[in-house]
Coordinates of all heavy atoms in Angstrom, one line a residue:
F109 N 135.5 118.0 90.9 CA 134.6 117.4 90.0 C 133.6 116.5 90.7 O 133.9 115.7 91.6 CB 135.3 116.5 88.9 CG 135.8 117.3 87.8 CD1 137.1 117.7 87.6 CD2 134.9 117.5 86.7 CE1 137.5 118.4 86.6 CE2 135.3 118.3 85.6 CZ 136.6 118.7 85.5
G110 N 132.4 116.6 90.2 CA 131.4 115.6 90.7 C 130.7 115.0 89.5 O 130.3 115.7 88.5
L111 N 130.6 113.7 89.5 CA 129.9 113.0 88.4 C 128.6 112.5 88.9 O 128.5 111.9 89.9 CB 130.8 111.9 87.8 CG 132.1 112.2 87.3 CD1 132.9 111.0 86.9 CD2 132.0 113.2 86.1
T112 N 127.6 112.7 88.1 CA 126.3 112.1 88.4 C 125.7 111.4 87.2 O 126.0 111.7 86.1 CB 125.3 113.2 88.8 OG1 125.1 114.1 87.7 CG2 125.7 114.0 90.0
Q113 N 124.9 110.4 87.5 CA 124.3 109.6 86.4 C 122.9 110.2 86.1 O 122.2 110.5 87.1 CB 124.1 108.2 86.9 CG 123.6 107.2 85.8 CD 123.6 105.8 86.3 OE1 123.6 105.5 87.5 NE2 123.6 104.9 85.3
P114 N 122.6 110.5 84.8 CA 121.3 111.0 84.5 C 120.2 110.1 85.1 O 120.3 108.9 85.1 CB 121.3 111.0 83.0 CG 122.7 110.9 82.6 CD 123.4 110.1 83.7
R115 N 119.1 110.7 85.5 CA 118.0 110.0 86.1 C 116.7 110.5 85.5 O 116.7 111.6 84.9 CB 117.9 110.2 87.6 CG 119.2 109.6 88.3 CD 119.0 109.8 89.8 NE 120.1 109.2 90.5 CZ 120.1 107.9 91.0 NH1 119.1 107.2 90.8 NH2 121.2 107.4 91.6
S116 N 115.7 109.7 85.6 CA 114.4 110.0 85.1 C 113.3 109.7 86.1 O 113.5 108.7 86.8 CB 114.1 109.3 83.8 OG 112.9 109.6 83.3
T117 N 112.3 110.5 86.2 CA 111.2 110.2 87.1 C 110.3 109.2 86.4 O 109.9 109.4 85.3 CB 110.4 111.5 87.5 OG1 111.3 112.4 88.2 CG2 109.3 111.2 88.4
V118 N 109.9 108.2 87.2 CA 109.0 107.2 86.7 C 107.8 107.2 87.7 O 108.0 107.2 88.9 CB 109.6 105.8 86.7 CG1 108.6 104.7 86.2 CG2 110.8 105.8 85.8
S119 N 106.6 107.2 87.1 CA 105.4 107.1 87.9 C 104.3 106.3 87.2 O 104.4 106.1 86.0 CB 104.9 108.5 88.2 OG 104.4 109.1 87.0
G120 N 103.4 105.8 88.0 CA 102.4 105.0 87.5 C 101.4 104.5 88.5 O 101.4 104.9 89.7
R121 N 100.5 103.7 88.1 CA 99.4 103.2 89.0 C 99.2 101.7 88.6 O 99.0 101.4 87.5 CB 98.1 104.0 88.7 CG 96.9 103.6 89.4 CD 95.8 104.5 89.3 NE 96.1 105.7 90.0 CZ 95.8 106.9 89.6 NH1 95.1 107.1 88.5 NH2 96.1 108.0 90.4
V122 N 99.2 100.9 89.6 CA 98.9 99.4 89.5 C 97.4 99.3 90.0 O 97.1 99.6 91.1 CB 99.8 98.6 90.3 CG1 99.5 97.1 90.0 CG2 101.3 98.8 89.8
F123 N 96.6 98.8 89.1 CA 95.2 98.7 89.4 C 94.5 97.5 88.8 O 95.0 96.9 87.8 CB 94.4 100.0 89.0 CG 94.4 100.2 87.5 CD1 93.3 99.7 86.7 CD2 95.4 100.9 87.0 CE1 93.3 100.0 85.4 CE2 95.4 101.1 85.6 CZ 94.4 100.7 84.8
A124 N 93.4 97.0 89.4 CA 92.6 95.9 88.9 C 91.8 96.5 87.7 O 90.8 97.2 88.0 CB 91.8 95.2 89.9
D125 N 92.1 96.1 86.5 CA 91.3 96.7 85.4 C 90.1 95.9 85.1 O 90.0 95.0 84.3 CB 92.3 96.6 84.2 CG 91.7 97.4 82.9 OD1 90.7 98.1 83.1 OD2 92.3 97.3 81.9
L126 N 89.0 96.2 85.9 CA 87.8 95.4 85.9 C 87.1 95.3 84.6 O 86.5 94.3 84.2 CB 86.9 95.9 87.0 CG 87.5 95.9 88.4 CD1 86.4 96.5 89.4 CD2 87.9 94.5 88.9
D127 N 87.2 96.4 83.8 CA 86.5 96.4 82.5 C 87.4 96.1 81.3 O 87.0 96.1 80.2 CB 85.7 97.7 82.3 CG 86.6 98.9 82.3 OD1 87.9 98.8 82.4 OD2 86.1 100.0 82.3
G128 N 88.7 95.9 81.6 CA 89.7 95.5 80.6 C 90.0 96.6 79.5 O 90.5 96.2 78.5
N129 N 89.8 97.9 79.9 CA 90.0 98.9 78.8 C 91.4 99.5 79.0 O 91.7 100.4 78.2 CB 88.9 100.0 78.9 CG 88.9 100.8 80.1 OD1 89.7 100.5 81.1 ND2 88.1 101.8 80.2
G130 N 92.2 99.1 79.9 CA 93.6 99.7 80.1 C 93.6 101.0 80.7 O 94.6 101.7 80.7
V131 N 92.5 101.6 81.1 CA 92.4 102.9 81.7 C 91.8 102.8 83.1 O 90.8 102.1 83.3 CB 91.4 103.8 80.9 CG1 91.3 105.2 81.5 CG2 92.0 103.9 79.5
W132 N 92.4 103.5 84.1 CA 91.9 103.4 85.5 C 90.6 104.2 85.6 O 90.5 105.3 85.2 CB 93.0 103.9 86.5 CG 92.5 103.9 87.9 CD1 92.4 102.8 88.6 CD2 92.1 105.0 88.7 NE1 91.9 103.1 89.9 CE2 91.8 104.5 89.9 CE3 92.0 106.3 88.5 CZ2 91.3 105.3 91.0 CZ3 91.6 107.2 89.5 CH2 91.3 106.6 90.7
N133 N 89.7 103.5 86.2 CA 88.4 104.2 86.5 C 88.2 104.2 88.0 O 88.8 103.4 88.8 CB 87.2 103.4 85.9 CG 87.3 103.3 84.4 OD1 87.4 104.3 83.7 ND2 87.4 102.1 83.9
D134 N 87.4 105.1 88.5 CA 87.2 105.3 90.0 C 86.8 104.1 90.7 O 87.1 103.9 91.9 CB 86.2 106.4 90.3 CG 86.7 107.8 89.9 OD1 88.0 108.0 89.8 OD2 85.9 108.7 89.7
N135 N 86.1 103.1 90.1 CA 85.6 102.0 90.7 C 86.6 100.8 90.7 O 86.3 99.8 91.2 CB 84.3 101.5 90.1 CG 84.5 101.0 88.6 OD1 85.3 101.5 87.9 ND2 83.8 99.9 88.3
E136 N 87.8 101.0 90.1 CA 88.8 100.0 90.0 C 89.8 100.1 91.1 O 90.5 101.2 91.2 CB 89.4 100.0 88.6 CG 88.4 99.7 87.5 CD 88.9 99.8 86.2 OE1 89.8 100.7 85.9 OE2 88.5 99.0 85.3
P137 N 90.0 99.1 92.0 CA 90.9 99.3 93.1 C 92.3 99.2 92.7 O 92.7 98.5 91.8 CB 90.5 98.0 94.0 CG 90.0 97.0 93.0 CD 89.3 97.8 91.9
L138 N 93.1 100.0 93.5 CA 94.6 99.9 93.3 C 95.0 98.5 93.9 O 94.5 98.0 94.8 CB 95.2 101.0 94.1 CG 94.9 102.4 93.6 CD1 95.7 103.5 94.4 CD2 95.2 102.6 92.1
V139 N 96.1 98.0 93.2 CA 96.6 96.7 93.7 C 98.0 97.1 94.4 O 98.9 97.7 93.8 CB 96.9 95.8 92.5 CG1 97.6 94.5 93.0 CG2 95.6 95.5 91.8
R140 N 98.0 96.7 95.6 CA 99.2 97.0 96.5 C 100.1 95.8 96.7 O 99.6 94.7 96.5 CB 98.7 97.5 97.8 CG 97.8 98.7 97.8 CD 97.3 99.1 99.2 NE 96.2 100.1 99.1 CZ 96.3 101.3 98.7 NH1 97.5 101.8 98.2 NH2 95.3 102.1 98.6
D141 N 101.3 96.1 97.0 CA 102.3 95.1 97.3 C 102.7 94.1 96.2 O 103.1 93.0 96.4 CB 101.9 94.2 98.5 CG 101.7 95.1 99.8 OD1 102.5 96.0 99.9 OD2 100.7 94.9 100.5
V142 N 102.5 94.6 94.9 CA 103.1 93.9 93.8 C 104.5 94.5 93.6 O 104.8 95.6 94.0 CB 102.3 94.0 92.5 CG1 101.0 93.3 92.7 CG2 102.2 95.4 92.0
T143 N 105.4 93.8 93.0 CA 106.8 94.3 92.9 C 106.9 95.1 91.6 O 106.6 94.6 90.5 CB 107.8 93.1 92.9 OG1 107.7 92.4 94.1 CG2 109.2 93.6 92.7
I144 N 107.5 96.3 91.7 CA 107.8 97.1 90.6 C 109.4 96.9 90.4 O 110.1 97.2 91.4 CB 107.5 98.6 90.8 CG1 106.0 98.8 91.1 CG2 107.9 99.4 89.5 CD1 105.0 98.4 90.1
L145 N 109.8 96.5 89.3 CA 111.2 96.2 89.0 C 111.8 96.9 87.9 O 111.2 96.9 86.8 CB 111.3 94.7 88.8 CG 112.6 94.1 88.2 CD1 113.8 94.3 89.3 CD2 112.5 92.7 87.9
A146 N 112.9 97.6 88.1 CA 113.7 98.1 87.0 C 114.6 97.1 86.5 O 115.7 96.9 87.1 CB 114.4 99.4 87.4
D147 N 114.2 96.3 85.6 CA 114.9 95.1 85.2 C 116.0 95.4 84.1 O 115.7 95.5 83.0 CB 113.9 94.1 84.6 CG 114.4 92.7 84.5 OD1 115.5 92.4 84.9 OD2 113.6 91.8 84.1
R148 N 117.2 95.4 84.6 CA 118.4 95.7 83.7 C 118.7 94.6 82.7 O 119.1 94.9 81.6 CB 119.6 96.0 84.5 CG 119.5 97.3 85.3 CD 120.8 97.5 86.0 NE 120.7 98.8 86.7 CZ 121.7 99.4 87.3 NH1 122.9 98.8 87.3 NH2 121.6 100.5 88.0
D149 N 118.5 93.4 83.1 CA 118.9 92.3 82.2 C 117.7 91.5 81.6 O 117.8 90.5 80.9 CB 119.8 91.3 82.8 CG 119.3 90.8 84.1 OD1 118.1 91.0 84.4 OD2 120.0 90.1 84.8
N150 N 116.5 92.0 81.8 CA 115.2 91.5 81.2 C 115.0 90.0 81.5 O 114.5 89.3 80.7 CB 115.3 91.7 79.7 CG 113.9 91.6 79.1 OD1 112.9 91.9 79.7 ND2 113.8 91.2 77.8
D151 N 115.3 89.6 82.8 CA 115.1 88.2 83.2 C 113.9 88.0 84.1 O 113.7 87.0 84.6 CB 116.4 87.7 83.8 CG 116.7 88.3 85.1 OD1 116.1 89.3 85.5 OD2 117.7 87.8 85.8
N152 N 113.2 89.1 84.4 CA 112.0 89.1 85.3 C 112.3 88.6 86.7 O 111.5 88.1 87.4 CB 110.9 88.2 84.7 CG 110.3 88.9 83.4 OD1 110.3 90.0 83.3 ND2 109.9 88.0 82.5
E153 N 113.6 88.8 87.1 CA 114.0 88.4 88.4 C 114.7 89.6 89.1 O 115.3 90.5 88.4 CB 115.1 87.3 88.4 CG 114.6 86.0 87.8 CD 113.7 85.2 88.7 OE1 113.8 85.4 89.9 OE2 112.9 84.5 88.2
V154 N 114.5 89.8 90.4 CA 115.1 90.9 91.1 C 116.6 90.5 91.5 O 116.8 89.6 92.2 CB 114.3 91.2 92.4 CG1 115.0 92.3 93.2 CG2 112.9 91.5 92.1
D155 N 117.5 91.2 90.8 CA 118.9 91.0 91.0 C 119.5 92.0 91.9 O 118.9 93.1 92.1 CB 119.7 91.0 89.7 CG 119.1 89.9 88.7 OD1 118.9 88.8 89.1 OD2 119.0 90.2 87.5
T156 N 120.6 91.8 92.5 CA 121.2 92.7 93.5 C 121.6 94.1 92.9 O 121.6 95.1 93.6 CB 122.5 92.1 94.1 OG1 123.4 91.8 93.1 CG2 122.2 90.9 94.9
N157 N 121.8 94.2 91.6 CA 122.1 95.5 90.9 C 120.9 96.2 90.4 O 121.0 97.2 89.6 CB 123.2 95.3 89.9 CG 122.6 94.5 88.7 OD1 121.7 93.7 88.9 ND2 123.2 94.7 87.5
E158 N 119.7 95.7 90.7 CA 118.5 96.3 90.2 C 117.6 96.9 91.3 O 117.7 96.5 92.5 CB 117.7 95.2 89.5 CG 118.4 94.7 88.3 CD 117.7 93.5 87.6 OE1 117.0 92.7 88.3 OE2 117.9 93.3 86.4
I159 N 116.8 97.9 90.9 CA 115.9 98.6 91.9 C 114.6 97.9 91.8 O 114.0 97.7 90.7 CB 115.8 100.1 91.5 CG1 117.2 100.8 91.5 CG2 114.8 100.8 92.3 CD1 117.2 102.2 91.0
A160 N 114.1 97.5 93.0 CA 112.8 96.9 93.1 C 112.1 97.4 94.4 O 112.8 97.6 95.4 CB 112.9 95.4 93.0
F161 N 110.8 97.5 94.3 CA 110.0 97.8 95.6 C 108.6 97.3 95.5 O 108.1 97.0 94.4 CB 110.1 99.3 95.8 CG 109.3 100.2 94.8 CD1 108.0 100.5 95.0 CD2 110.0 100.6 93.6 CE1 107.4 101.3 94.1 CE2 109.3 101.3 92.7 CZ 108.0 101.7 92.9
A162 N 108.0 97.3 96.6 CA 106.5 96.9 96.7 C 105.7 98.1 96.4 O 105.8 99.1 97.1 CB 106.2 96.3 98.0
S163 N 104.8 98.1 95.4 CA 104.0 99.2 95.0 C 102.9 99.5 96.1 O 102.2 98.6 96.5 CB 103.4 99.0 93.7 OG 102.4 100.0 93.4
P164 N 102.7 100.8 96.4 CA 101.5 101.1 97.3 C 100.3 101.3 96.4 O 99.3 101.8 96.9 CB 102.0 102.4 97.9 CG 102.9 103.0 96.9 CD 103.6 101.9 96.2
G165 N 100.3 101.0 95.1 CA 99.2 101.3 94.2 C 99.6 102.4 93.2 O 99.9 102.1 92.1
D166 N 99.8 103.6 93.7 CA 100.3 104.7 93.0 C 101.8 104.8 93.3 O 102.2 104.5 94.5 CB 99.7 106.0 93.3 CG 98.3 106.2 92.8 OD1 98.1 105.8 91.6 OD2 97.4 106.8 93.5
F167 N 102.7 105.0 92.4 CA 104.1 105.2 92.7 C 104.8 106.2 91.9 O 104.3 106.6 90.8 CB 104.8 103.8 92.5 CG 104.8 103.3 91.1 CD1 105.8 103.6 90.2 CD2 103.7 102.5 90.7 CE1 105.8 103.1 88.9 CE2 103.7 102.0 89.4 CZ 104.7 102.3 88.5
Q168 N 105.9 106.7 92.4 CA 106.7 107.7 91.7 C 108.2 107.5 92.3 O 108.3 107.5 93.5 CB 106.3 109.1 91.8 CG 107.2 110.1 91.1 CD 106.6 111.5 91.1 OE1 105.4 111.7 91.4 NE2 107.4 112.5 90.9
F169 N 109.2 107.4 91.4 CA 110.5 107.3 91.9 C 111.5 107.7 90.8 O 111.1 107.8 89.6 CB 110.9 105.9 92.5 CG 110.7 104.8 91.4 CD1 111.8 104.3 90.8 CD2 109.4 104.2 91.2 CE1 111.6 103.2 89.8 CE2 109.3 103.2 90.3 CZ 110.3 102.7 89.6
L170 N 112.8 107.9 91.2 CA 113.8 108.3 90.3 C 114.6 107.0 89.9 O 114.9 106.2 90.7 CB 114.8 109.3 90.9 CG 114.3 110.7 91.0 CD1 115.3 111.5 91.8 CD2 114.1 111.3 89.6
L171 N 114.9 106.9 88.6 CA 115.7 105.8 88.1 C 116.8 106.3 87.3 O 116.7 107.3 86.6 CB 114.9 104.9 87.1 CG 114.0 103.8 87.7 CD1 113.3 103.1 86.5 CD2 114.7 102.9 88.5
P172 N 118.0 105.6 87.4 CA 119.1 106.0 86.5 C 118.7 105.6 85.1 O 118.0 104.6 84.9 CB 120.3 105.1 87.1 CG 119.7 104.1 88.0 CD 118.3 104.6 88.4
L173 N 119.2 106.4 84.2 CA 118.9 106.1 82.8 C 119.8 105.0 82.3 O 121.0 105.3 82.1 CB 118.9 107.4 81.9 CG 117.9 108.4 82.2 CD1 118.2 109.7 81.4 CD2 116.5 107.9 81.9
I174 N 119.3 103.9 82.0 CA 120.1 102.7 81.5 C 119.4 102.2 80.3 O 118.2 101.8 80.4 CB 120.3 101.6 82.6 CG1 121.0 102.2 83.8 CG2 121.0 100.4 82.0 CD1 121.0 101.3 85.0
P175 N 120.0 102.3 79.1 CA 119.2 102.0 77.9 C 118.6 100.5 77.9 O 117.5 100.4 77.3 CB 120.3 102.0 76.8 CG 121.3 102.9 77.3 CD 121.3 102.7 78.8
T176 N 119.2 99.5 78.5 CA 118.6 98.2 78.5 C 117.6 98.0 79.5 O 116.9 96.9 79.6 CB 119.7 97.2 78.6 OG1 120.4 97.4 79.8 CG2 120.7 97.3 77.4
Q177 N 117.4 98.9 80.4 CA 116.5 98.7 81.6 C 115.0 98.8 81.2 O 114.6 99.6 80.4 CB 116.8 99.8 82.6 CG 116.0 99.7 83.9 CD 116.6 100.8 84.8 OE1 117.4 100.4 85.6 NE2 116.3 102.0 84.7
Q178 N 114.2 97.8 81.6 CA 112.8 97.8 81.4 C 112.1 97.8 82.7 O 112.5 97.2 83.7 CB 112.4 96.6 80.6 CG 112.9 96.6 79.2 CD 112.5 95.3 78.5 OE1 111.5 94.7 78.8 NE2 113.1 95.0 77.4
L179 N 111.0 98.6 82.8 CA 110.2 98.6 84.0 C 109.2 97.5 84.0 O 108.5 97.3 83.0 CB 109.4 100.0 84.1 CG 108.8 100.3 85.5 CD1 109.9 100.4 86.6 CD2 108.0 101.5 85.4
K180 N 109.1 96.7 85.0 CA 108.2 95.5 85.1 C 107.4 95.5 86.3 O 107.8 96.1 87.3 CB 109.1 94.2 85.1 CG 110.1 94.0 84.0 CD 109.5 93.5 82.8 CE 110.5 93.2 81.7 NZ 111.3 92.0 81.8
V181 N 106.2 94.9 86.2 CA 105.3 94.7 87.3 C 105.3 93.2 87.5 O 104.9 92.5 86.6 CB 103.9 95.3 87.1 CG1 103.0 95.0 88.2 CG2 104.0 96.7 86.8
L182 N 105.8 92.7 88.6 CA 105.7 91.3 88.9 C 104.6 91.1 89.9 O 104.6 91.5 91.0 CB 107.1 90.9 89.6 CG 108.4 91.2 88.8 CD1 109.6 90.7 89.5 CD2 108.3 90.6 87.4
A183 N 103.5 90.4 89.4 CA 102.3 90.3 90.1 C 101.7 88.9 90.0 O 100.9 88.6 89.2 CB 101.3 91.3 89.7
P184 N 102.3 87.9 90.8 CA 101.8 86.6 90.7 C 100.3 86.5 90.9 O 99.7 87.2 91.8 CB 102.5 85.8 91.8 CG 103.7 86.7 92.1 CD 103.3 88.1 91.8
G185 N 99.6 85.8 90.1 CA 98.1 85.7 90.2 C 97.4 86.6 89.4 O 96.1 86.6 89.3
Y186 N 98.1 87.6 88.8 CA 97.4 88.6 87.9 C 98.0 88.5 86.5 O 99.1 88.0 86.3 CB 97.8 90.0 88.4 CG 97.1 90.4 89.7 CD1 97.7 90.2 90.9 CD2 95.9 91.0 89.7 CE1 97.1 90.5 92.1 CE2 95.3 91.4 91.0 CZ 95.9 91.1 92.1 OH 95.3 91.4 93.3
T187 N 97.2 89.0 85.5 CA 97.7 89.2 84.2 C 98.0 90.6 84.1 O 97.2 91.5 84.3 CB 96.6 88.8 83.2 OG1 96.3 87.5 83.3 CG2 97.1 89.0 81.7
V188 N 99.3 90.9 83.7 CA 99.8 92.3 83.6 C 99.6 92.8 82.2 O 100.0 92.1 81.3 CB 101.2 92.4 84.0 CG1 101.7 93.9 83.9 CG2 101.4 92.0 85.5
T189 N 98.9 93.9 82.0 CA 98.7 94.5 80.7 C 99.1 95.9 80.7 O 99.0 96.6 81.7 CB 97.2 94.4 80.3 OG1 96.4 95.1 81.3 CG2 96.7 93.0 80.2
P190 N 99.7 96.4 79.6 CA 100.2 97.8 79.6 C 99.0 98.7 79.4 O 98.0 98.3 78.8 CB 101.1 97.9 78.3 CG 100.6 96.7 77.5 CD 100.1 95.7 78.4
A191 N 99.0 99.8 80.1 CA 98.0 100.8 80.0 C 98.2 101.8 78.8 O 99.3 101.9 78.3 CB 97.8 101.6 81.2

């Protein structure tokens, strides 16, 4: 027997939304090295049991499906808005 945890592909783009419309345009730069966090306990902190990485701007990765988990962008100095 082999047991596996269901996973889902997550992808996105972190960018400076210069015109504030929530949509990436060619003239809007990607923002690199902000933390993308799969926050299991919704505390906006990177804990040892959570997946986090520095975004290269565009990202794609596999996450285990955990109902309470929320994807967060931790970007000091920026206002994070959903697209």
